[in-house]
Each structure stands twice: as C-alpha cells, then as structure tokens.
Amino acid sequence: MKSIVYADNNATTNLSKKVLKSMEPYLKRMYGNPSSLYNLGKISKNAIEQSRNKVSKAINSNIDDIYFTSGGSESNNMIIKGISKANRNKGNHIITTKIEHLSVLNTCKELEKDGFLVTYLNVDEYGVINLKELEDSITSKTILISIMFANNEIGAIQPIEEIGKIAKGKDIIFHTDAVQAVGNINIDVEKMNIDALSLSAHKFHGPKGIGVAYIKDHVKFEPLICGGHQEDNKRAGTENVANIVGLGKAIELSNNNILKHNKKINKLNNFFYKLLNTNLSNFIINGNIENKLCNNISISFKNIDSNVLLLFLNKYNICVSNGSACNSNDIKPSHVLEAIKVDKDYIGGTIRISFGDNNDFLDVLYIVKMIKRTIKVINSKKKE
Ligand SMILES: *Cc1c(COP(=O)(O)O)cnc(C)c1O
C-alpha cells in the first residue's frame, strides 16, 4: 500500500522526475542572467528559447507569441487586463462565463470597476455554454471573449473551435484559459482561432510558479508587469530559467502522451464509476461523463458535508478535493456547482477526484472503500 493516495490532479500534479532532471543544471552550474552578454548568460537565454519553441510546438503557435509568466493566474490577469485596456478605444464590453476560474472572474470584476461591461454567460446542466447565447450577447462594443477550455471543478469542455469561429467572424479577440486542458486535450491555436491562451506548468507535472501567456502578434495589449526589457518588453523581471526549462520539458512530455494518458485514466474512471454504482447510492455525477476532461470526477452525495468526508479521507491518507481546491475554504457553495444547478440536498456533499498517471486500480478500490466506510459512519451518527 502507498503511504499516500493522491487523486487531486486538477489541483496540482507531482513534479515528473525527468522534468526535475532537466531543471537541475539551471539551479546549479548554469545560473547566468539571460540578459548578460557572456557565455554563462547566453546558455540561460538559449535554454529559455528552446523551451519557448517546445511550447509553441505543443499548441501550434508562432514561437514569438509565447510569453513566460508566474503561472495561470498571472497569465489570465495579464491577458484579460492587458487586452481590455489596450483596446479600450474600440469598446468596453467583455464576454466570459459564470464558471470561470476565480483568476478570470475576479479580474473581470476589477475591470467592471474601471468602466468595463462584462457579460457572464450561463451554462447548461453539464456546464457547457450555449453558442446562440454567445452570439446574441455580442455587441458593437465587444472587444474580448474569454472562455475557459476545460473547467477545473466539473471537467466541462467548451466548444472552443466553434467559439473561435464566432469570434473571428465578428473580429473579436478570443482568449481561453487552457490551464486544465494542456496534457489532456490536443490544442491547436491556429485551427481553433485562439488569439490568447493561458497555461500553467504545475497542472501537467511541471514546477509550480511558472506559466505561459500566448498572445497572437496582431493582438494589442499592455503589459501587466512593467520594468526591464525581458520577454520582448511585455513581461518584466529576470526570467525563472530553471522553471521555464521545466515547463518546456513537461509540456513536451505530456503533449506526446495525451492519447495514452486518456486511455489509462479512462480505465481508472470506468472502474471507479462501476465500484461506486455497486457500493453506494444517493449520489449524482456532475458534468457529462461522455464529454469531459479525462482526469475529472465530480460527485455529490446526498445530505453529506463534504468537509467532514474529506477530513475522514485525509485520515486514511487520501488526497481529494471538495468542489474545487481554490474554493474549499469558502462556506458558500462553489459558483460552478451553482451555475449547473446542483440540487440543494447534494451541493454541499460534492467532492472532486482527479486521477493521474501515478494512480492504479488498487488506489481506486481503496478510495471507494473508504468513501463507503465514511458515509456509513456519518449517516449512523446522524441517527444517534
Ligand atoms: C489552476 C488553475 C488556474 C491557476 O493557475 P495557477 O498557475 O495555479 O495560478 C487557472 N485556471 C484554471 C482553470 C486552473 O485550473
């Protein structure tokens, strides 16, 4: 038995050994500042450009449209604020959805204070937007559509290619938060008409604190962080060389493994659903099992407090989330579960299980067994 059963890969993933190995030289001998002109600096600069090349290959973009940031949250801020402010002369209307990550939602709320108008699109019971509603919400003042690729709480995948077509047809900039998609779904920014995209290495077995903002060259934007001339004057600060190298290695590895990864995780999911159906009752599965992120399972148990459930599971060394990791300290139910209208008897009993390549069938068996045991204990206490 493992000392810990980790099934929270939507929150973060373990650092791959190969990725760590690729980073090591840049944490030790090769510490030159990439802006320096001597060889030690050029070695760092070179490593950054190789990594940029790997990212551009993974999403089929131009290499010069890749900017390194401190992660998904910064990329979302940089893109949404930067594009909105730079295109203010064209209009002040932004379209997004009700189920975005908080780094998108709270950025939009900030912009509302600055005079921008934001439309938050509804989603259906599976967490997917309605394309007609999107089209109807576009006005002559719309400058940006920001819609996530895949949702971190319920795994819902949006019709990105169709959204890209609509945006292109109306000459509106299209950004997608693809933080959950990278490594799970093939991304092609050209084919999908994506003008801007956010990604973050720690969601695909890379290091934490490093991400990418892809912004197509024709898109006007203002930098979020001003200072030196790094990243083509678009994102100041001495580059996090080791992390950038790690991100490059991680995106290369995970992108080459998408098919195999999906196959493996789907086997674990199917086994999980089967065990769940034969061992437990009074639960609902959130999202569309036929069309969702492979590494996301969201279940709501009737009249169960997910915090209590998680505390028990933690005692059994099981790492899973309630609703979403970012929201877990909130008393309010998650905005995503509210948007898909999870029944009030179920919403508070929602947990998220996200398997990764390190999990096996024994983990699945163990998790279901412990959930069953815990729910029995909780329900028996209620009757006392
Ligand atoms: C994790 C996550 C983010 C934030 O990325 P960080 O690198 O942790 O800042 C943004 N969007 C989605 C969908 C995420 O899952």
Side-chain angles (χ1 to χ4, degrees), residues 10 71-73 76 101 103 148 150 152 177 179-180 200 202-203:
N10 292 147
S73 297
N76 284 336
H101 188 264
S103 57
M148 73 197 317
N152 45 303
D177 171 356
V179 172
Q180 289 290 342
S200 175
H202 77 94
K203 302 283 172 83

Side-chain angles (χ1 to χ4, degrees), residues 113-124:
K113 286 186 205 157
D114 287 343
F116 285 91
L117 293 172
V118 183
T119 299
Y120 300 91
L121 296 175
N122 293 304
V123 292
D124 66 14

Side-chain angles (χ1 to χ4, degrees), residues 77-95:
N77 272 266
M78 168 173 164
I79 288 171
I80 297 170
K81 286 182 189 158
I83 291 176
S84 299
K85 289 179 181 170
N87 291 278
R88 184 75 168 86
N89 59 328
K90 285 195 195 154
N92 66 342
H93 182 224
I94 300 164
I95 300 172

